[in-house]
Amino acid sequence: MASTIFRSLHSHPFLFHPTALIRRKDVILYCTMRSAQTQTVTQEKVKPQVKVSPHSTQRKALEKASKDYEAVIGIETHVQLNTLTKAFCSCPYNYGSPPNTSVCPICMGLPGALPVLNLKVIESAVKVGLALNCKLSLNSKFDRKQYFYPDLPKGYQISQFDVPIATSGYIDLDLPLEFGGGHRKFGITRVHMEEDAGKLLHSEGGSYSQVDLNRAGVPLLEIVSEPDMRNGIEAAEYAAELQRLVRYLGVSNGNMQEGSLRCDVNISVRPIGQLQFGTKVEIKNLNSFSSVSRAIDYEISRQVLLHSQGQDKEIVQETRLWEEGAQKTVTMRKKEGLADYRYFPEPDLPGVFLTTDYVDGIRNSLPELPETKRRRYEKMGLSMQDVLFLATDMNVVDPAEIEKWVEKVLSENPKQLEQYRGGKTKLQGYFAGQVMKLSKGKANPGLLNKILLEKLNAKS
């Protein structure tokens, strides 16, 4: 039966192609649905909400928040791994591929198809766990997370529940000077492996949705932070540091615009001095670090305004969307609880067992990470502005490499070096050009000229 349906898919691709409308009469998906925007409009008509001006009212609410209220923020980050194939099958995934061209019975969840774990997913998870200073679980397992959504072909997601592969870590970062500077340390609750769902495309009119299952089964790491952040800037910089980390490790390209790094932000507000957390609200649809910061600041102001007007009961546990155009959050759906997912161990996959030798081998292969590189540059006497720039851009090669290039160029051009030291100082430009040529344009110009001048003016 499974193979028959699969052959039919290739013979009649209109069944899943996004040019086809997904209606109730379609037997395979059976999932007509209105878009989230339509649902939002309906809910807002039934239940009037407090109107918040994006300018003066929001600014006043934020000013009040800093005096009377405290925001508590945590982030769930999904990192798409850049493995050659999906998590449990041999289908490749390439961003921008024609819809439904990278699917098979396994990632489509057809009856009788059995998953096989991609070992590169384990390797990437261990790398990220170690880089985030986590405690690794040498024995972990996969679980089924049950929920219905049209882009989830199996009706459940393979994930990890009570025994994730990594727990209890932290990440260190430095805030940019324009945001006040300073060092921050945020806790990491857990890192776990899971598969991605497909993608829904909602029509402009909101009367139907289209589905592309290319992304179904793509391997993800979910990184859950502790609720340690207190404003939008800290949250945005935390997400940016995770992006740097996964890029340094080579496990993901981290491109938010492609969905390779996606952030869901959880926010609650409480009066300063209160130990109990407020009601948590989740925000989705954040596709840039600036939108993370702006969405959080808006949501803080919305909740503070409700608190100050004695309407804190209007803050309910829900999922909200960030509307970039309107610069506000809107209701998407009420938040599910753990019981709604009905987790149980995945029966089609064995447990994950790591040896200490395997973990140590990966630990020894890790590159120098952003935090370590920043501290090294700091000890070299560089300004924090230069430190942050150099550690952020992996394409800029570092001071030690530049020094090697400068020495090589000087040793290969003794005549020009003698002329420079004899008074022809304009030759500095010649040497700088030769170093840039040798570095293929990767040398930072400021550092290059600093190191070059030191070498040129050194006593022979």
Side-chain angles (χ1 to χ4, degrees):
M1 180 63 181
S3 59
T4 302
I5 297 176
F6 183 52
R7 286 197 299 271
S8 176
L9 171 64
H10 284 282
S11 302
H12 307 284
F14 64 86
L15 288 174
F16 285 86
H17 198 280
T19 55
L21 306 187
I22 306 301
R23 303 190 186 280
R24 291 188 181 276
K25 65 181 182 180
D26 291 319
V27 176
I28 296 180
L29 286 184
Y30 197 73
C31 59
T32 299
M33 61 179 296
R34 291 180 302 171
S35 71
Q37 290 86 347
T38 304
Q39 296 172 4
T40 299
V41 171
T42 304
Q43 291 170 352
E44 289 183 342
K45 286 181 179 178
V46 174
K47 191 173 185 179
Q49 297 185 356
V50 178
K51 294 183 179 180
V52 182
S53 166
H55 302 295
S56 60
T57 306
Q58 182 179 354
R59 186 170 59 252
K60 290 177 181 178
L62 283 172
E63 290 173 357
K64 184 175 180 60
S66 64
K67 298 176 182 178
D68 303 328
Y69 294 92
E70 176 185 51
V72 179
I73 303 164
I75 300 183
E76 299 169 4
T77 307
H78 288 90
V79 177
Q80 179 180 302
L81 301 179
N82 56 5
T83 54
L84 295 177
T85 58
K86 294 183 181 182
F88 305 110
C89 68
S90 59
C91 291
Y93 175 74
N94 296 304
Y95 178 77
S97 295
N100 301 304
T101 55
S102 294
V103 294
C104 73
I106 295 175
C107 55
M108 290 174 59
L110 298 183
L114 293 175
V116 178
L117 177 60
N118 183 342
L119 293 181
K120 278 290 183 181
V121 178
I122 301 290
E123 181 182 327
S124 297
V126 172
K127 283 183 178 181
V128 171
L130 291 172
L132 291 174
N133 307 289
C134 290
K135 177 183 177 183
L136 293 180
S137 300
L138 296 182
N139 300 332
S140 63
K141 64 182 177 65
F142 286 99
D143 302 276
R144 287 189 181 182
K145 180 181 181 182
Q146 320 277 335
Y147 65 94
F148 172 78
Y149 211 58
D151 61 4
L152 192 71
K154 294 192 292 288
Y156 62 85
Q157 178 188 36
I158 299 178
S159 182
Q160 290 190 299
F161 177 44
D162 55 329
V163 189
I165 194 165
T167 56
S168 305
Y170 64 88
I171 188 170
D172 288 305
L173 58 90
D174 297 280
L175 291 182
L177 297 179
E178 60 266 32
F179 297 139
H183 182 76
R184 296 291 189 277
K185 181 176 182 178
F186 300 120
I188 301 294
T189 305
R190 59 186 282 153
V191 178
H192 65 259
M193 302 173 285
E194 63 183 21
E195 61 177 341
D196 207 348
K199 183 178 181 180
L200 281 179
L201 304 174
H202 303 294
S203 66
E204 292 184 3
S207 59
Y208 65 89
S209 294
Q210 302 166 318
V211 64
D212 176 12
L213 294 179
N214 277 350
R215 205 169 64 186
V218 167
L220 301 177
L221 292 182
E222 181 170 346
I223 303 170
V224 182
S225 80
E226 289 289 312
D228 291 344
M229 288 149 266
R230 295 295 178 263
N231 55 58
I233 290 172
E234 288 185 351
E237 287 304 311
Y238 163 87
E241 184 72 358
L242 282 186
Q243 183 190 64
R244 286 189 282 272
L245 189 75
V246 298
R247 285 177 172 175
Y248 268 61
L249 294 173
V251 300
S252 174
N253 63 27
N255 294 338
M256 294 190 78
Q257 69 273 18
E258 296 179 6
S260 297
L261 189 144
R262 311 195 290 272
C263 295
D264 298 335
V265 178
N266 295 291
I267 307 170
S268 65
V269 167
R270 64 185 177 187
I272 289 180
Q274 176 180 301
L275 297 179
Q276 182 181 359
F277 289 152
T279 302
K280 180 177 67 175
V281 172
E282 181 183 44
I283 304 178
K284 288 184 177 289
N285 199 33
L286 303 172
N287 57 12
S288 71
F289 300 130
S290 61
S291 65
V292 168
S293 180
R294 285 181 278 114
I296 287 174
D297 287 343
Y298 175 89
E299 185 60 24
I300 291 173
S301 68
R302 184 185 77 88
Q303 293 188 28
V304 166
L305 189 61
L306 289 170
H307 272 283
S308 64
Q309 295 177 344
Q311 300 183 51
D312 51 292
K313 299 295 183 184
E314 297 295 316
I315 304 173
V316 296
Q317 186 171 340
E318 63 177 346
T319 299
R320 297 176 71 87
L321 289 177
W322 171 245
E323 288 193 347
E324 187 66 37
Q327 292 289 292
K328 66 176 185 178
T329 63
V330 294
T331 298
M332 177 185 177
R333 63 173 181 262
K334 301 303 177 186
K335 184 63 178 174
E336 302 90 346
L338 287 177
D340 298 319
Y341 293 131
R342 304 188 314 280
Y343 282 100
F344 67 84
E346 169 57 63
D348 292 335
L349 287 169
V352 178
F353 303 102
L354 308 178
T355 65
T356 53
D357 288 342
Y358 176 79
V359 172
D360 289 341
I362 292 179
R363 192 194 310 273
N364 295 332
S365 72
L366 294 181
E368 185 179 37
L369 299 176
E371 167 65 9
T372 307
K373 183 173 285 189
R374 288 196 295 268
R375 299 289 78 82
R376 180 164 63 85
Y377 289 165
E378 223 175 359
K379 290 178 180 177
M380 295 175 65
L382 298 178
S383 68
M384 182 52 67
Q385 186 173 0
D386 286 337
V387 165
L388 293 174
F389 172 75
L390 290 170
T392 297
D393 192 346
M394 291 179 62
N395 293 320
V396 176
V397 188
D398 64 27
E401 285 296 316
I402 294 177
E403 187 172 2
K404 291 179 183 177
W405 290 325
V406 168
E407 290 175 347
K408 180 176 174 62
V409 167
L410 295 182
S411 66
E412 292 177 352
N413 295 274
K415 182 178 179 181
Q416 289 84 350
L417 178 59
E418 183 179 352
Q419 291 174 341
Y420 174 88
R421 289 175 174 168
K424 291 188 177 182
T425 55
K426 289 185 178 180
L427 284 171
Q428 179 187 345
Y430 167 78
F431 289 116
Q434 293 300 307
V435 174
M436 289 299 289
K437 182 178 179 181
L438 184 62
S439 70
K440 298 180 180 179
K442 294 182 180 180
N444 175 259
L447 279 175
L448 166 58
N449 285 318
K450 180 182 177 182
I451 295 172
L452 179 60
L453 280 173
E454 290 175 355
K455 297 291 184 181
L456 287 172
N457 297 326
K459 293 182 180 180
S460 57

mmCIF file of all heavy atoms in Angstrom, residues 198-228:
data_model
loop_
_atom_site.group_PDB
_atom_site.id
_atom_site.type_symbol
_atom_site.label_atom_id
_atom_site.label_comp_id
_atom_site.label_asym_id
_atom_site.label_seq_id
_atom_site.Cartn_x
_atom_site.Cartn_y
_atom_site.Cartn_z
ATOM 1 N N GLY A 198 6.830 19.937 7.692
ATOM 2 C CA GLY A 198 6.819 20.548 6.370
ATOM 3 C C GLY A 198 6.537 22.036 6.476
ATOM 4 O O GLY A 198 6.693 22.652 7.541
ATOM 5 N N LYS A 199 6.096 22.610 5.399
ATOM 6 C CA LYS A 199 5.857 24.059 5.377
ATOM 7 C C LYS A 199 4.498 24.352 4.771
ATOM 8 O O LYS A 199 4.141 23.810 3.722
ATOM 9 C CB LYS A 199 6.954 24.746 4.549
ATOM 10 C CG LYS A 199 6.850 26.260 4.517
ATOM 11 C CD LYS A 199 8.001 26.852 3.719
ATOM 12 C CE LYS A 199 7.933 28.372 3.691
ATOM 13 N NZ LYS A 199 9.053 28.959 2.908
ATOM 14 N N LEU A 200 3.721 25.195 5.453
ATOM 15 C CA LEU A 200 2.420 25.614 4.948
ATOM 16 C C LEU A 200 2.514 27.008 4.352
ATOM 17 O O LEU A 200 3.145 27.898 4.918
ATOM 18 C CB LEU A 200 1.382 25.624 6.076
ATOM 19 C CG LEU A 200 0.797 24.277 6.489
ATOM 20 C CD1 LEU A 200 -0.189 24.484 7.624
ATOM 21 C CD2 LEU A 200 0.126 23.576 5.328
ATOM 22 N N LEU A 201 1.880 27.191 3.214
ATOM 23 C CA LEU A 201 1.791 28.496 2.575
ATOM 24 C C LEU A 201 0.332 28.902 2.549
ATOM 25 O O LEU A 201 -0.495 28.220 1.945
ATOM 26 C CB LEU A 201 2.360 28.436 1.154
ATOM 27 C CG LEU A 201 3.804 27.938 1.029
ATOM 28 C CD1 LEU A 201 4.180 27.780 -0.429
ATOM 29 C CD2 LEU A 201 4.743 28.910 1.724
ATOM 30 N N HIS A 202 -0.003 29.999 3.212
ATOM 31 C CA HIS A 202 -1.390 30.438 3.319
ATOM 32 C C HIS A 202 -1.735 31.392 2.176
ATOM 33 O O HIS A 202 -0.943 32.268 1.827
ATOM 34 C CB HIS A 202 -1.635 31.126 4.662
ATOM 35 C CG HIS A 202 -1.290 30.269 5.839
ATOM 36 N ND1 HIS A 202 -1.977 29.120 6.151
ATOM 37 C CD2 HIS A 202 -0.313 30.392 6.782
ATOM 38 C CE1 HIS A 202 -1.442 28.566 7.236
ATOM 39 N NE2 HIS A 202 -0.434 29.320 7.630
ATOM 40 N N SER A 203 -2.905 31.233 1.611
ATOM 41 C CA SER A 203 -3.339 32.101 0.525
ATOM 42 C C SER A 203 -3.632 33.497 1.056
ATOM 43 O O SER A 203 -3.909 33.690 2.242
ATOM 44 C CB SER A 203 -4.594 31.533 -0.138
ATOM 45 O OG SER A 203 -5.683 31.563 0.775
ATOM 46 N N GLU A 204 -3.581 34.477 0.165
ATOM 47 C CA GLU A 204 -3.818 35.857 0.586
ATOM 48 C C GLU A 204 -5.238 36.043 1.108
ATOM 49 O O GLU A 204 -5.473 36.778 2.053
ATOM 50 C CB GLU A 204 -3.556 36.809 -0.587
ATOM 51 C CG GLU A 204 -2.083 36.886 -0.996
ATOM 52 C CD GLU A 204 -1.852 37.891 -2.087
ATOM 53 O OE1 GLU A 204 -2.830 38.578 -2.483
ATOM 54 O OE2 GLU A 204 -0.702 38.015 -2.559
ATOM 55 N N GLY A 205 -6.168 35.365 0.492
ATOM 56 C CA GLY A 205 -7.558 35.488 0.940
ATOM 57 C C GLY A 205 -7.848 34.718 2.213
ATOM 58 O O GLY A 205 -8.874 34.934 2.860
ATOM 59 N N GLY A 206 -6.971 33.795 2.549
ATOM 60 C CA GLY A 206 -7.147 33.018 3.770
ATOM 61 C C GLY A 206 -8.135 31.876 3.648
ATOM 62 O O GLY A 206 -8.541 31.284 4.635
ATOM 63 N N SER A 207 -8.545 31.510 2.408
ATOM 64 C CA SER A 207 -9.557 30.467 2.243
ATOM 65 C C SER A 207 -8.965 29.071 2.095
ATOM 66 O O SER A 207 -9.684 28.082 2.203
ATOM 67 C CB SER A 207 -10.424 30.780 1.014
ATOM 68 O OG SER A 207 -9.614 30.855 -0.156
ATOM 69 N N TYR A 208 -7.669 28.967 1.834
ATOM 70 C CA TYR A 208 -7.037 27.661 1.701
ATOM 71 C C TYR A 208 -5.557 27.782 2.010
ATOM 72 O O TYR A 208 -5.005 28.883 2.101
ATOM 73 C CB TYR A 208 -7.234 27.100 0.283
ATOM 74 C CG TYR A 208 -6.553 27.908 -0.796
ATOM 75 C CD1 TYR A 208 -5.235 27.643 -1.169
ATOM 76 C CD2 TYR A 208 -7.228 28.947 -1.457
ATOM 77 C CE1 TYR A 208 -4.609 28.379 -2.152
ATOM 78 C CE2 TYR A 208 -6.613 29.694 -2.440
ATOM 79 C CZ TYR A 208 -5.300 29.413 -2.792
ATOM 80 O OH TYR A 208 -4.674 30.148 -3.751
ATOM 81 N N SER A 209 -4.910 26.623 2.171
ATOM 82 C CA SER A 209 -3.466 26.574 2.424
ATOM 83 C C SER A 209 -2.825 25.543 1.513
ATOM 84 O O SER A 209 -3.469 24.597 1.076
ATOM 85 C CB SER A 209 -3.186 26.212 3.895
ATOM 86 O OG SER A 209 -3.637 27.222 4.755
ATOM 87 N N GLN A 210 -1.540 25.754 1.227
ATOM 88 C CA GLN A 210 -0.775 24.846 0.388
ATOM 89 C C GLN A 210 0.333 24.234 1.235
ATOM 90 O O GLN A 210 0.792 24.839 2.205
ATOM 91 C CB GLN A 210 -0.173 25.620 -0.792
ATOM 92 C CG GLN A 210 -1.244 26.313 -1.639
ATOM 93 C CD GLN A 210 -0.643 27.346 -2.581
ATOM 94 O OE1 GLN A 210 0.246 28.105 -2.189
ATOM 95 N NE2 GLN A 210 -1.121 27.386 -3.807
ATOM 96 N N VAL A 211 0.748 23.021 0.884
ATOM 97 C CA VAL A 211 1.735 22.324 1.705
ATOM 98 C C VAL A 211 2.906 21.835 0.862
ATOM 99 O O VAL A 211 2.729 21.352 -0.253
ATOM 100 C CB VAL A 211 1.088 21.138 2.457
ATOM 101 C CG1 VAL A 211 0.585 20.070 1.497
ATOM 102 C CG2 VAL A 211 2.051 20.541 3.459
ATOM 103 N N ASP A 212 4.110 22.033 1.406
ATOM 104 C CA ASP A 212 5.345 21.540 0.793
ATOM 105 C C ASP A 212 6.035 20.674 1.848
ATOM 106 O O ASP A 212 6.394 21.151 2.922
ATOM 107 C CB ASP A 212 6.230 22.718 0.391
ATOM 108 C CG ASP A 212 7.578 22.281 -0.153
ATOM 109 O OD1 ASP A 212 7.744 21.069 -0.426
ATOM 110 O OD2 ASP A 212 8.464 23.146 -0.307
ATOM 111 N N LEU A 213 6.238 19.387 1.547
ATOM 112 C CA LEU A 213 6.810 18.455 2.511
ATOM 113 C C LEU A 213 8.319 18.254 2.337
ATOM 114 O O LEU A 213 8.887 17.341 2.935
ATOM 115 C CB LEU A 213 6.098 17.101 2.417
ATOM 116 C CG LEU A 213 4.623 17.114 2.827
ATOM 117 C CD1 LEU A 213 4.017 15.736 2.666
ATOM 118 C CD2 LEU A 213 4.470 17.610 4.256
ATOM 119 N N ASN A 214 8.971 19.091 1.542
ATOM 120 C CA ASN A 214 10.427 18.953 1.386
ATOM 121 C C ASN A 214 11.154 19.023 2.723
ATOM 122 O O ASN A 214 12.132 18.319 2.956
ATOM 123 C CB ASN A 214 10.970 20.058 0.473
ATOM 124 C CG ASN A 214 10.814 19.713 -1.002
ATOM 125 O OD1 ASN A 214 10.484 18.589 -1.355
ATOM 126 N ND2 ASN A 214 11.041 20.686 -1.864
ATOM 127 N N ARG A 215 10.688 19.889 3.605
ATOM 128 C CA ARG A 215 11.387 20.110 4.866
ATOM 129 C C ARG A 215 11.050 19.053 5.915
ATOM 130 O O ARG A 215 11.736 18.953 6.948
ATOM 131 C CB ARG A 215 11.034 21.508 5.398
ATOM 132 C CG ARG A 215 12.076 22.103 6.305
ATOM 133 C CD ARG A 215 11.803 23.571 6.573
ATOM 134 N NE ARG A 215 10.547 23.774 7.296
ATOM 135 C CZ ARG A 215 10.017 24.955 7.564
ATOM 136 N NH1 ARG A 215 10.617 26.055 7.135
ATOM 137 N NH2 ARG A 215 8.887 25.057 8.232
ATOM 138 N N ALA A 216 10.014 18.256 5.689
ATOM 139 C CA ALA A 216 9.631 17.230 6.660
ATOM 140 C C ALA A 216 10.761 16.226 6.840
ATOM 141 O O ALA A 216 11.267 15.659 5.875
ATOM 142 C CB ALA A 216 8.360 16.507 6.195
ATOM 143 N N GLY A 217 11.180 16.017 8.094
ATOM 144 C CA GLY A 217 12.253 15.073 8.375
ATOM 145 C C GLY A 217 13.641 15.671 8.400
ATOM 146 O O GLY A 217 14.612 14.966 8.691
ATOM 147 N N VAL A 218 13.768 16.969 8.102
ATOM 148 C CA VAL A 218 15.085 17.626 8.162
ATOM 149 C C VAL A 218 15.540 17.670 9.624
ATOM 150 O O VAL A 218 14.758 17.980 10.518
ATOM 151 C CB VAL A 218 14.998 19.049 7.567
ATOM 152 C CG1 VAL A 218 16.242 19.862 7.894
ATOM 153 C CG2 VAL A 218 14.792 18.976 6.060
ATOM 154 N N PRO A 219 16.808 17.351 9.913
ATOM 155 C CA PRO A 219 17.261 17.294 11.313
ATOM 156 C C PRO A 219 17.389 18.673 11.950
ATOM 157 O O PRO A 219 17.902 19.616 11.347
ATOM 158 C CB PRO A 219 18.624 16.603 11.217
ATOM 159 C CG PRO A 219 19.100 16.906 9.837
ATOM 160 C CD PRO A 219 17.877 16.946 8.976
ATOM 161 N N LEU A 220 16.923 18.761 13.196
ATOM 162 C CA LEU A 220 16.995 19.990 13.977
ATOM 163 C C LEU A 220 17.638 19.716 15.322
ATOM 164 O O LEU A 220 17.550 18.612 15.855
ATOM 165 C CB LEU A 220 15.592 20.566 14.239
ATOM 166 C CG LEU A 220 14.694 20.926 13.065
ATOM 167 C CD1 LEU A 220 13.339 21.390 13.591
ATOM 168 C CD2 LEU A 220 15.322 22.002 12.207
ATOM 169 N N LEU A 221 18.245 20.750 15.888
ATOM 170 C CA LEU A 221 18.583 20.765 17.304
ATOM 171 C C LEU A 221 17.755 21.869 17.938
ATOM 172 O O LEU A 221 17.744 23.000 17.440
ATOM 173 C CB LEU A 221 20.073 21.048 17.528
ATOM 174 C CG LEU A 221 21.071 19.981 17.089
ATOM 175 C CD1 LEU A 221 22.477 20.431 17.454
ATOM 176 C CD2 LEU A 221 20.764 18.638 17.720
ATOM 177 N N GLU A 222 17.053 21.548 19.002
ATOM 178 C CA GLU A 222 16.339 22.585 19.750
ATOM 179 C C GLU A 222 17.158 22.939 20.984
ATOM 180 O O GLU A 222 17.482 22.070 21.796
ATOM 181 C CB GLU A 222 14.935 22.139 20.158
ATOM 182 C CG GLU A 222 14.197 23.235 20.906
ATOM 183 C CD GLU A 222 12.727 22.947 21.127
ATOM 184 O OE1 GLU A 222 12.193 22.016 20.487
ATOM 185 O OE2 GLU A 222 12.107 23.642 21.958
ATOM 186 N N ILE A 223 17.493 24.209 21.108
ATOM 187 C CA ILE A 223 18.277 24.710 22.235
ATOM 188 C C ILE A 223 17.357 25.560 23.094
ATOM 189 O O ILE A 223 16.837 26.586 22.634
ATOM 190 C CB ILE A 223 19.480 25.542 21.749
ATOM 191 C CG1 ILE A 223 20.361 24.712 20.812
ATOM 192 C CG2 ILE A 223 20.292 26.064 22.932
ATOM 193 C CD1 ILE A 223 21.429 25.517 20.098
ATOM 194 N N VAL A 224 17.136 25.142 24.333
ATOM 195 C CA VAL A 224 16.210 25.828 25.238
ATOM 196 C C VAL A 224 17.016 26.563 26.301
ATOM 197 O O VAL A 224 17.794 25.948 27.032
ATOM 198 C CB VAL A 224 15.231 24.842 25.898
ATOM 199 C CG1 VAL A 224 14.241 25.583 26.800
ATOM 200 C CG2 VAL A 224 14.494 24.022 24.834
ATOM 201 N N SER A 225 16.818 27.868 26.392
ATOM 202 C CA SER A 225 17.560 28.657 27.371
ATOM 203 C C SER A 225 16.828 28.679 28.713
ATOM 204 O O SER A 225 15.634 28.398 28.799
ATOM 205 C CB SER A 225 17.735 30.096 26.878
ATOM 206 O OG SER A 225 16.557 30.856 27.106
ATOM 207 N N GLU A 226 17.557 29.036 29.753
ATOM 208 C CA GLU A 226 16.933 29.373 31.030
ATOM 209 C C GLU A 226 16.275 30.748 30.878
ATOM 210 O O GLU A 226 16.663 31.535 29.998
ATOM 211 C CB GLU A 226 17.992 29.422 32.133
ATOM 212 C CG GLU A 226 18.555 28.060 32.524
ATOM 213 C CD GLU A 226 17.556 27.217 33.284
ATOM 214 O OE1 GLU A 226 16.931 27.736 34.226
ATOM 215 O OE2 GLU A 226 17.384 26.039 32.922
ATOM 216 N N PRO A 227 15.291 31.094 31.706
ATOM 217 C CA PRO A 227 14.644 32.410 31.605
ATOM 218 C C PRO A 227 15.519 33.498 32.229
ATOM 219 O O PRO A 227 15.143 34.144 33.209
ATOM 220 C CB PRO A 227 13.340 32.207 32.385
ATOM 221 C CG PRO A 227 13.658 31.163 33.392
ATOM 222 C CD PRO A 227 14.638 30.227 32.730
ATOM 223 N N ASP A 228 16.694 33.711 31.654
ATOM 224 C CA ASP A 228 17.702 34.589 32.245
ATOM 225 C C ASP A 228 17.767 35.968 31.613
ATOM 226 O O ASP A 228 18.471 36.845 32.113
ATOM 227 C CB ASP A 228 19.095 33.942 32.140
ATOM 228 C CG ASP A 228 19.235 32.729 33.045
ATOM 229 O OD1 ASP A 228 18.410 32.572 33.953
ATOM 230 O OD2 ASP A 228 20.186 31.947 32.841
#
